[in-house]
Amino acid sequence: MCQSKIIDFSRQKHVFLVLLAVLITNVTAVNKVFGQDNNSQYKIKRVVIDAGHGGKDPGALGKRYKEKDIVLAIALKLGTYIKEYIDDVEVIYTRKDDSFVDLYKRGDIANKAHADLFISIHANYYSNSRISGTETYVMGLHTNDQNFEVAKKENAAISFEDDYTTRYEGFDPNSSESYIIFSLLQNTYLEQSLDFASLVQNQFKKRVNRVDRGVRQAGFIVLWKTTMPSVLIETGYLSNSGEELFLSSETGQDYIASAIFRAFRDYKQNIEHKSNFSHLNTKEALRFRIQVISSRKQLKPDSRIFKAYEDVKEYKVDNLYKYAVCSTSSYEEVVKKQAEVRKDFKGAFVIAVKGNEIIDLSEALKEIDNQ
Ligand SMILES: [Zn+2]
């Protein structure tokens, strides 16, 4: 059997086999833990790996190499690692060869497959060739011009598509207004997307010696309509000759794919572990509400985006501001309302709250059943 290499810079090559053994043991241990869990637990079963660009769209151009070829090689390696080391995950690619795939189709593939995570892999370009490093993006409104430039550059892929103005509902990749509503509407999975993005950046920094340019937000069409946590990874700058050399080498691609693989393995473990626990606050009355937005930026409850709603409430969870509308003690009622609210906020979903805290929905439902 042919084993894939899971490697990183921080170790010597001669201890590679030892590491491989440790890794396999760890994966087995993780599987054992998962095996003991009950069936109702949330599991990461399917991942979509999206190699950016392809075919007539080369993406960013280095001096010798094209983004489309580099990211395809990394995507295929990542998929191979996941298939080889994690048994219970299905890997789906948006492309496995040098073909052109419309941006909207990439999200469609993930939605139709009911994927649990969408990973879009890219390489960057900047006019200043000294800039290097990796960035991992989640969908959101850009807070600086640099992030906006990256989103514009990646979204320009739609210009290779036929009839893109009607396809993307009049979205203009160069107009900053186009990005505002567009970015706020897709954030149901912001928290999980941020969690995965941080794991990826940490792996790049600590284990592959990349310059950490951080987790960022911007409006990417390829992430727009995905109905699962999703990230877009910029694996480095092809405008930087050292980084072009690294990313175009087999070893560099192995390092990058291995780092994303480890981030994925940790993310899966964290999510599946987390869903075993919940913290129930018993003093306050249980209410059901509908979460419509979560954002790293604080919004005003009288913001025009909430104009159709009166009872908007903000919940602060870690570094995120979450906004919910409607409030009822009846689960049936809130589910009915959810359908209405989704006309305004496509990704709106039911949450359970006690006082100022959002609590685990499945625990809240158990509590109702016991009443
Ligand atoms: Zn790209």
Side-chain angles (χ1 to χ4, degrees):
M1 188 183 108
C2 168
Q3 293 275 11
S4 300
K5 291 171 285 173
I6 305 290
I7 50 178
D8 73 80
F9 265 137
S10 65
R11 308 274 203 263
Q12 301 287 328
K13 274 203 173 149
H14 63 267
V15 294
F16 173 66
L17 284 175
V18 176
L19 266 181
L20 198 62
V22 170
L23 175 75
I24 293 167
T25 316
N26 281 342
V27 171
T28 314
V30 166
N31 284 341
K32 269 188 200 148
V33 171
F34 292 161
Q36 289 163 358
D37 298 330
N38 66 45
N39 293 330
S40 63
Q41 192 199 337
Y42 178 67
K43 292 198 182 243
I44 305 284
K45 294 192 210 84
R46 254 165 250 112
V47 56
V48 169
I49 303 176
D50 174 50
H53 315 276
K56 60 189 170 186
D57 172 13
L61 299 173
K63 284 203 175 72
R64 291 178 56 199
Y65 297 93
K66 295 175 182 143
E67 178 184 355
K68 66 171 184 176
D69 299 321
I70 289 172
V71 299
L72 178 62
I74 296 170
L76 295 174
K77 281 178 190 291
L78 170 62
T80 306
Y81 296 154
I82 295 175
K83 280 192 243 174
E84 209 163 299
Y85 295 106
I86 308 180
D87 315 327
D88 56 346
V89 171
E90 184 189 350
V91 173
I92 297 157
Y93 299 98
T94 55
R95 68 178 180 99
K96 287 168 88 172
D97 54 28
D98 184 24
S99 47
F100 178 78
V101 183
D102 292 346
L103 287 190
Y104 77 93
K105 281 191 190 146
R106 297 168 188 251
D108 260 10
I109 291 170
N111 294 348
K112 284 189 182 131
H114 301 286
D116 302 293
L117 183 66
F118 181 85
I119 307 173
S120 189
I121 302 176
H122 290 257
N124 224 330
Y125 189 91
Y126 194 60
S127 50
N128 180 345
S129 64
R130 278 175 300 180
I131 300 286
S132 68
T134 67
E135 295 154 22
T136 301
Y137 284 87
V138 304
M139 188 72 180
L141 191 58
H142 54 272
T143 48
N144 63 51
D145 288 347
Q146 255 184 357
N147 297 359
F148 188 30
E149 288 308 313
V150 173
K152 278 201 275 193
K153 181 177 69 74
E154 298 296 2
N155 291 339
I158 62 172
S159 60
F160 289 94
E161 298 177 20
D162 305 324
D163 199 23
Y164 76 82
T165 43
T166 47
R167 171 80 62 202
Y168 298 104
E169 299 163 26
F171 178 80
D172 174 358
N174 291 311
S175 132
S176 69
E177 279 102 71
S178 265
Y179 282 82
I180 295 174
I181 295 294
F182 158 76
S183 301
L184 282 173
L185 289 181
Q186 210 282 20
N187 53 21
T188 309
Y189 301 99
L190 180 61
E191 236 176 305
Q192 292 101 316
S193 305
L194 286 169
D195 284 348
F196 180 62
S198 313
L199 291 169
V200 170
Q201 281 302 121
N202 274 336
Q203 284 288 339
F204 283 157
K205 182 170 128 190
K206 292 193 182 135
R207 307 276 297 267
V208 200
N209 285 348
R210 302 288 88 197
V211 173
D212 177 17
R213 294 176 53 82
V215 171
R216 299 172 177 226
Q217 279 188 292
F220 292 93
I221 292 176
V222 71
L223 306 182
W224 181 13
K225 293 207 171 168
T226 56
T227 53
M228 75 272 327
S230 56
V231 302
L232 185 145
I233 303 172
E234 293 286 357
T235 53
Y237 282 79
L238 297 186
S239 41
N240 177 287
S241 53
E243 212 148 53
E244 181 185 9
L245 199 66
F246 179 76
L247 289 172
S248 61
S249 70
E250 175 99 33
T251 317
Q253 292 164 359
D254 279 336
Y255 284 130
I256 294 287
S258 301
I260 305 172
F261 164 79
R262 284 187 298 264
F264 173 74
R265 184 196 58 195
D266 294 349
Y267 172 77
K268 181 178 184 330
Q269 194 177 353
N270 292 349
I271 290 267
E272 294 177 354
H273 182 71
K274 217 187 244 175
S275 68
N276 273 340
F277 293 92
S278 67
H279 307 281
L280 209 52
N281 163 354
T282 49
K283 283 176 247 152
E284 306 264 4
L286 171 65
R287 305 288 294 176
F288 293 104
R289 311 205 72 204
I290 300 165
Q291 183 176 318
V292 292
I293 297 272
S294 72
S295 168
R296 279 166 123 183
K297 263 196 193 168
Q298 191 167 20
L299 303 172
K300 293 203 173 83
D302 60 353
S303 157
R304 88 190 154 89
I305 198 155
F306 303 123
K307 63 180 186 300
Y309 300 90
E310 282 172 356
D311 49 353
V312 181
K313 192 163 177 346
E314 176 186 287
Y315 297 87
K316 180 121 196 280
V317 182
D318 299 325
N319 294 321
L320 290 177
Y321 297 97
K322 301 182 173 193
Y323 296 86
V325 299
C326 308
S327 174
T328 168
S329 57
S330 153
Y331 184 64
E332 269 172 35
E333 193 184 325
V334 81
V335 169
K336 273 187 216 152
K337 289 254 187 207
Q338 175 182 260
E340 283 170 43
V341 175
R342 280 188 175 165
K343 288 176 195 156
D344 295 323
F345 299 94
K346 275 184 196 155
F349 59 97
V350 171
I351 57 170
V353 300
K354 281 192 170 187
N356 292 322
E357 258 181 82
I358 299 179
I359 63 161
D360 187 286
L361 183 62
S362 57
E363 288 299 326
L365 293 174
K366 271 187 222 157
E367 192 178 315
I368 296 189
D369 281 348
N370 294 338
Q371 276 169 4

PDB file of all heavy atoms in Angstrom, residues 51-53 57-60 67-68 71 120-125 150 153-155 157 220 232-234, ligand 1:
ATOM      1  N   ALA A  51     -10.522  23.247  -5.416  1.00  0.00           N
ATOM      2  CA  ALA A  51      -9.304  23.843  -5.972  1.00  0.00           C
ATOM      3  C   ALA A  51      -9.741  25.041  -6.813  1.00  0.00           C
ATOM      4  O   ALA A  51     -10.532  24.896  -7.743  1.00  0.00           O
ATOM      5  CB  ALA A  51      -8.573  22.819  -6.832  1.00  0.00           C
ATOM      6  N   GLY A  52      -9.270  26.224  -6.471  1.00  0.00           N
ATOM      7  CA  GLY A  52      -9.703  27.445  -7.156  1.00  0.00           C
ATOM      8  C   GLY A  52      -9.351  27.431  -8.638  1.00  0.00           C
ATOM      9  O   GLY A  52      -8.428  26.736  -9.072  1.00  0.00           O
ATOM     10  N   HIS A  53     -10.162  28.204  -9.411  1.00  0.00           N
ATOM     11  CA  HIS A  53      -9.887  28.438 -10.843  1.00  0.00           C
ATOM     12  C   HIS A  53      -9.858  27.128 -11.651  1.00  0.00           C
ATOM     13  O   HIS A  53     -10.501  26.176 -11.264  1.00  0.00           O
ATOM     14  CB  HIS A  53      -8.595  29.247 -10.993  1.00  0.00           C
ATOM     15  CG  HIS A  53      -8.556  30.406 -10.032  1.00  0.00           C
ATOM     16  ND1 HIS A  53      -9.151  31.619 -10.289  1.00  0.00           N
ATOM     17  CD2 HIS A  53      -8.056  30.505  -8.769  1.00  0.00           C
ATOM     18  CE1 HIS A  53      -9.003  32.415  -9.239  1.00  0.00           C
ATOM     19  NE2 HIS A  53      -8.357  31.760  -8.289  1.00  0.00           N
ATOM     20  N   ASP A  57      -9.487  29.697 -16.793  1.00  0.00           N
ATOM     21  CA  ASP A  57      -9.176  30.667 -15.726  1.00  0.00           C
ATOM     22  C   ASP A  57      -7.917  30.217 -14.979  1.00  0.00           C
ATOM     23  O   ASP A  57      -7.978  29.305 -14.160  1.00  0.00           O
ATOM     24  CB  ASP A  57     -10.380  30.755 -14.768  1.00  0.00           C
ATOM     25  CG  ASP A  57     -10.069  31.582 -13.524  1.00  0.00           C
ATOM     26  OD1 ASP A  57      -9.039  32.287 -13.503  1.00  0.00           O
ATOM     27  OD2 ASP A  57     -10.875  31.518 -12.569  1.00  0.00           O
ATOM     28  N   PRO A  58      -6.767  30.845 -15.254  1.00  0.00           N
ATOM     29  CA  PRO A  58      -5.527  30.386 -14.621  1.00  0.00           C
ATOM     30  C   PRO A  58      -5.367  30.854 -13.174  1.00  0.00           C
ATOM     31  O   PRO A  58      -4.531  30.337 -12.449  1.00  0.00           O
ATOM     32  CB  PRO A  58      -4.443  31.039 -15.486  1.00  0.00           C
ATOM     33  CG  PRO A  58      -5.079  32.281 -16.037  1.00  0.00           C
ATOM     34  CD  PRO A  58      -6.555  31.972 -16.193  1.00  0.00           C
ATOM     35  N   GLY A  59      -6.182  31.846 -12.741  1.00  0.00           N
ATOM     36  CA  GLY A  59      -5.973  32.428 -11.408  1.00  0.00           C
ATOM     37  C   GLY A  59      -4.733  33.305 -11.431  1.00  0.00           C
ATOM     38  O   GLY A  59      -4.335  33.817 -12.481  1.00  0.00           O
ATOM     39  N   ALA A  60      -4.094  33.460 -10.269  1.00  0.00           N
ATOM     40  CA  ALA A  60      -2.907  34.324 -10.180  1.00  0.00           C
ATOM     41  C   ALA A  60      -1.744  33.704 -10.950  1.00  0.00           C
ATOM     42  O   ALA A  60      -1.608  32.477 -11.005  1.00  0.00           O
ATOM     43  CB  ALA A  60      -2.531  34.516  -8.715  1.00  0.00           C
ATOM     44  N   GLU A  67      -1.632  29.689 -10.522  1.00  0.00           N
ATOM     45  CA  GLU A  67      -2.395  29.343  -9.316  1.00  0.00           C
ATOM     46  C   GLU A  67      -3.210  28.067  -9.521  1.00  0.00           C
ATOM     47  O   GLU A  67      -3.244  27.190  -8.654  1.00  0.00           O
ATOM     48  CB  GLU A  67      -3.324  30.514  -8.945  1.00  0.00           C
ATOM     49  CG  GLU A  67      -4.193  30.228  -7.729  1.00  0.00           C
ATOM     50  CD  GLU A  67      -5.187  31.337  -7.405  1.00  0.00           C
ATOM     51  OE1 GLU A  67      -5.151  32.387  -8.079  1.00  0.00           O
ATOM     52  OE2 GLU A  67      -6.007  31.134  -6.490  1.00  0.00           O
ATOM     53  N   LYS A  68      -3.897  27.959 -10.672  1.00  0.00           N
ATOM     54  CA  LYS A  68      -4.807  26.812 -10.883  1.00  0.00           C
ATOM     55  C   LYS A  68      -4.097  25.463 -10.737  1.00  0.00           C
ATOM     56  O   LYS A  68      -4.689  24.504 -10.257  1.00  0.00           O
ATOM     57  CB  LYS A  68      -5.496  26.907 -12.247  1.00  0.00           C
ATOM     58  CG  LYS A  68      -4.572  26.766 -13.443  1.00  0.00           C
ATOM     59  CD  LYS A  68      -5.362  26.648 -14.756  1.00  0.00           C
ATOM     60  CE  LYS A  68      -4.421  26.396 -15.932  1.00  0.00           C
ATOM     61  NZ  LYS A  68      -5.141  26.176 -17.189  1.00  0.00           N
ATOM     62  N   VAL A  71      -2.897  24.959  -6.813  1.00  0.00           N
ATOM     63  CA  VAL A  71      -3.969  24.668  -5.851  1.00  0.00           C
ATOM     64  C   VAL A  71      -4.625  23.315  -6.129  1.00  0.00           C
ATOM     65  O   VAL A  71      -5.089  22.651  -5.202  1.00  0.00           O
ATOM     66  CB  VAL A  71      -5.015  25.820  -5.755  1.00  0.00           C
ATOM     67  CG1 VAL A  71      -4.344  27.094  -5.276  1.00  0.00           C
ATOM     68  CG2 VAL A  71      -5.744  26.057  -7.067  1.00  0.00           C
ATOM     69  N   SER A 120     -11.988  25.975   0.237  1.00  0.00           N
ATOM     70  CA  SER A 120     -11.582  26.472  -1.077  1.00  0.00           C
ATOM     71  C   SER A 120     -10.104  26.864  -0.999  1.00  0.00           C
ATOM     72  O   SER A 120      -9.704  27.604  -0.100  1.00  0.00           O
ATOM     73  CB  SER A 120     -12.461  27.674  -1.441  1.00  0.00           C
ATOM     74  OG  SER A 120     -12.239  28.041  -2.780  1.00  0.00           O
ATOM     75  N   ILE A 121      -9.318  26.342  -1.927  1.00  0.00           N
ATOM     76  CA  ILE A 121      -7.864  26.531  -1.849  1.00  0.00           C
ATOM     77  C   ILE A 121      -7.374  27.439  -2.979  1.00  0.00           C
ATOM     78  O   ILE A 121      -7.682  27.203  -4.156  1.00  0.00           O
ATOM     79  CB  ILE A 121      -7.140  25.164  -1.890  1.00  0.00           C
ATOM     80  CG1 ILE A 121      -7.644  24.307  -0.720  1.00  0.00           C
ATOM     81  CG2 ILE A 121      -5.624  25.346  -1.798  1.00  0.00           C
ATOM     82  CD1 ILE A 121      -7.089  22.904  -0.706  1.00  0.00           C
ATOM     83  N   HIS A 122      -6.624  28.472  -2.598  1.00  0.00           N
ATOM     84  CA  HIS A 122      -6.149  29.482  -3.557  1.00  0.00           C
ATOM     85  C   HIS A 122      -4.699  29.861  -3.275  1.00  0.00           C
ATOM     86  O   HIS A 122      -4.136  29.507  -2.247  1.00  0.00           O
ATOM     87  CB  HIS A 122      -7.033  30.737  -3.456  1.00  0.00           C
ATOM     88  CG  HIS A 122      -8.397  30.504  -3.986  1.00  0.00           C
ATOM     89  ND1 HIS A 122      -8.817  30.943  -5.217  1.00  0.00           N
ATOM     90  CD2 HIS A 122      -9.440  29.820  -3.453  1.00  0.00           C
ATOM     91  CE1 HIS A 122     -10.061  30.555  -5.418  1.00  0.00           C
ATOM     92  NE2 HIS A 122     -10.472  29.872  -4.362  1.00  0.00           N
ATOM     93  N   ALA A 123      -4.137  30.650  -4.217  1.00  0.00           N
ATOM     94  CA  ALA A 123      -2.843  31.287  -3.983  1.00  0.00           C
ATOM     95  C   ALA A 123      -2.995  32.754  -4.376  1.00  0.00           C
ATOM     96  O   ALA A 123      -3.792  33.092  -5.250  1.00  0.00           O
ATOM     97  CB  ALA A 123      -1.755  30.599  -4.793  1.00  0.00           C
ATOM     98  N   ASN A 124      -2.233  33.599  -3.716  1.00  0.00           N
ATOM     99  CA  ASN A 124      -2.439  35.040  -3.792  1.00  0.00           C
ATOM    100  C   ASN A 124      -1.449  35.728  -4.732  1.00  0.00           C
ATOM    101  O   ASN A 124      -0.459  35.124  -5.159  1.00  0.00           O
ATOM    102  CB  ASN A 124      -2.273  35.595  -2.371  1.00  0.00           C
ATOM    103  CG  ASN A 124      -3.347  36.590  -2.033  1.00  0.00           C
ATOM    104  OD1 ASN A 124      -3.860  37.285  -2.909  1.00  0.00           O
ATOM    105  ND2 ASN A 124      -3.681  36.683  -0.756  1.00  0.00           N
ATOM    106  N   TYR A 125      -1.704  37.000  -4.974  1.00  0.00           N
ATOM    107  CA  TYR A 125      -0.789  37.816  -5.782  1.00  0.00           C
ATOM    108  C   TYR A 125      -0.892  39.254  -5.292  1.00  0.00           C
ATOM    109  O   TYR A 125      -1.974  39.737  -4.994  1.00  0.00           O
ATOM    110  CB  TYR A 125      -1.186  37.763  -7.267  1.00  0.00           C
ATOM    111  CG  TYR A 125      -0.137  38.409  -8.146  1.00  0.00           C
ATOM    112  CD1 TYR A 125       0.897  37.658  -8.691  1.00  0.00           C
ATOM    113  CD2 TYR A 125      -0.164  39.786  -8.404  1.00  0.00           C
ATOM    114  CE1 TYR A 125       1.882  38.252  -9.462  1.00  0.00           C
ATOM    115  CE2 TYR A 125       0.817  40.387  -9.168  1.00  0.00           C
ATOM    116  CZ  TYR A 125       1.838  39.617  -9.697  1.00  0.00           C
ATOM    117  OH  TYR A 125       2.814  40.204 -10.451  1.00  0.00           O
ATOM    118  N   VAL A 150      -8.467  41.207  -2.263  1.00  0.00           N
ATOM    119  CA  VAL A 150      -8.379  39.750  -2.437  1.00  0.00           C
ATOM    120  C   VAL A 150      -9.727  39.201  -2.909  1.00  0.00           C
ATOM    121  O   VAL A 150      -9.800  38.399  -3.848  1.00  0.00           O
ATOM    122  CB  VAL A 150      -7.917  39.060  -1.130  1.00  0.00           C
ATOM    123  CG1 VAL A 150      -7.987  37.543  -1.253  1.00  0.00           C
ATOM    124  CG2 VAL A 150      -6.494  39.480  -0.783  1.00  0.00           C
ATOM    125  N   LYS A 153     -10.330  40.138  -6.528  1.00  0.00           N
ATOM    126  CA  LYS A 153      -9.485  39.347  -7.418  1.00  0.00           C
ATOM    127  C   LYS A 153     -10.064  37.929  -7.590  1.00  0.00           C
ATOM    128  O   LYS A 153     -10.177  37.427  -8.699  1.00  0.00           O
ATOM    129  CB  LYS A 153      -8.073  39.282  -6.818  1.00  0.00           C
ATOM    130  CG  LYS A 153      -7.069  38.508  -7.633  1.00  0.00           C
ATOM    131  CD  LYS A 153      -5.685  38.573  -6.999  1.00  0.00           C
ATOM    132  CE  LYS A 153      -5.574  37.825  -5.684  1.00  0.00           C
ATOM    133  NZ  LYS A 153      -5.544  36.364  -5.807  1.00  0.00           N
ATOM    134  N   GLU A 154     -10.464  37.308  -6.468  1.00  0.00           N
ATOM    135  CA  GLU A 154     -11.002  35.944  -6.562  1.00  0.00           C
ATOM    136  C   GLU A 154     -12.370  35.937  -7.253  1.00  0.00           C
ATOM    137  O   GLU A 154     -12.686  35.028  -8.014  1.00  0.00           O
ATOM    138  CB  GLU A 154     -11.097  35.291  -5.181  1.00  0.00           C
ATOM    139  CG  GLU A 154      -9.754  35.111  -4.459  1.00  0.00           C
ATOM    140  CD  GLU A 154      -8.785  34.166  -5.180  1.00  0.00           C
ATOM    141  OE1 GLU A 154      -9.120  33.654  -6.266  1.00  0.00           O
ATOM    142  OE2 GLU A 154      -7.674  33.965  -4.655  1.00  0.00           O
ATOM    143  N   ASN A 155     -13.180  36.957  -6.984  1.00  0.00           N
ATOM    144  CA  ASN A 155     -14.519  36.999  -7.580  1.00  0.00           C
ATOM    145  C   ASN A 155     -14.464  37.292  -9.079  1.00  0.00           C
ATOM    146  O   ASN A 155     -15.431  37.035  -9.798  1.00  0.00           O
ATOM    147  CB  ASN A 155     -15.385  38.048  -6.875  1.00  0.00           C
ATOM    148  CG  ASN A 155     -15.726  37.622  -5.459  1.00  0.00           C
ATOM    149  OD1 ASN A 155     -15.671  36.434  -5.139  1.00  0.00           O
ATOM    150  ND2 ASN A 155     -16.069  38.581  -4.613  1.00  0.00           N
ATOM    151  N   ALA A 157     -13.185  35.725 -11.170  1.00  0.00           N
ATOM    152  CA  ALA A 157     -13.335  34.458 -11.905  1.00  0.00           C
ATOM    153  C   ALA A 157     -14.681  34.397 -12.619  1.00  0.00           C
ATOM    154  O   ALA A 157     -14.795  33.741 -13.661  1.00  0.00           O
ATOM    155  CB  ALA A 157     -13.187  33.279 -10.947  1.00  0.00           C
ATOM    156  N   PHE A 220     -16.768  36.515  -0.580  1.00  0.00           N
ATOM    157  CA  PHE A 220     -16.365  35.668  -1.707  1.00  0.00           C
ATOM    158  C   PHE A 220     -17.584  34.970  -2.307  1.00  0.00           C
ATOM    159  O   PHE A 220     -18.324  34.300  -1.576  1.00  0.00           O
ATOM    160  CB  PHE A 220     -15.370  34.599  -1.246  1.00  0.00           C
ATOM    161  CG  PHE A 220     -14.043  35.161  -0.845  1.00  0.00           C
ATOM    162  CD1 PHE A 220     -13.788  35.488   0.481  1.00  0.00           C
ATOM    163  CD2 PHE A 220     -13.064  35.403  -1.802  1.00  0.00           C
ATOM    164  CE1 PHE A 220     -12.577  36.030   0.855  1.00  0.00           C
ATOM    165  CE2 PHE A 220     -11.846  35.940  -1.436  1.00  0.00           C
ATOM    166  CZ  PHE A 220     -11.601  36.263  -0.112  1.00  0.00           C
ATOM    167  N   LEU A 232     -11.936  30.079   2.718  1.00  0.00           N
ATOM    168  CA  LEU A 232     -11.108  30.206   1.515  1.00  0.00           C
ATOM    169  C   LEU A 232      -9.683  30.451   1.991  1.00  0.00           C
ATOM    170  O   LEU A 232      -9.417  31.405   2.727  1.00  0.00           O
ATOM    171  CB  LEU A 232     -11.624  31.353   0.646  1.00  0.00           C
ATOM    172  CG  LEU A 232     -10.922  31.526  -0.708  1.00  0.00           C
ATOM    173  CD1 LEU A 232     -11.915  31.997  -1.777  1.00  0.00           C
ATOM    174  CD2 LEU A 232      -9.749  32.490  -0.628  1.00  0.00           C
ATOM    175  N   ILE A 233      -8.790  29.533   1.610  1.00  0.00           N
ATOM    176  CA  ILE A 233      -7.411  29.602   2.097  1.00  0.00           C
ATOM    177  C   ILE A 233      -6.506  30.169   1.004  1.00  0.00           C
ATOM    178  O   ILE A 233      -6.470  29.629  -0.105  1.00  0.00           O
ATOM    179  CB  ILE A 233      -6.908  28.191   2.496  1.00  0.00           C
ATOM    180  CG1 ILE A 233      -7.839  27.570   3.546  1.00  0.00           C
ATOM    181  CG2 ILE A 233      -5.477  28.263   3.029  1.00  0.00           C
ATOM    182  CD1 ILE A 233      -7.528  26.109   3.862  1.00  0.00           C
ATOM    183  N   GLU A 234      -5.793  31.229   1.332  1.00  0.00           N
ATOM    184  CA  GLU A 234      -4.765  31.760   0.435  1.00  0.00           C
ATOM    185  C   GLU A 234      -3.451  31.182   0.945  1.00  0.00           C
ATOM    186  O   GLU A 234      -2.949  31.584   2.000  1.00  0.00           O
ATOM    187  CB  GLU A 234      -4.746  33.298   0.471  1.00  0.00           C
ATOM    188  CG  GLU A 234      -5.992  33.962  -0.116  1.00  0.00           C
ATOM    189  CD  GLU A 234      -6.071  33.911  -1.643  1.00  0.00           C
ATOM    190  OE1 GLU A 234      -5.128  33.404  -2.285  1.00  0.00           O
ATOM    191  OE2 GLU A 234      -7.089  34.383  -2.195  1.00  0.00           O
TER     192      GLU A 234
HETATM  193 ZN    ZN B   1      -7.673  32.213  -6.486  1.00  0.00          ZN
END
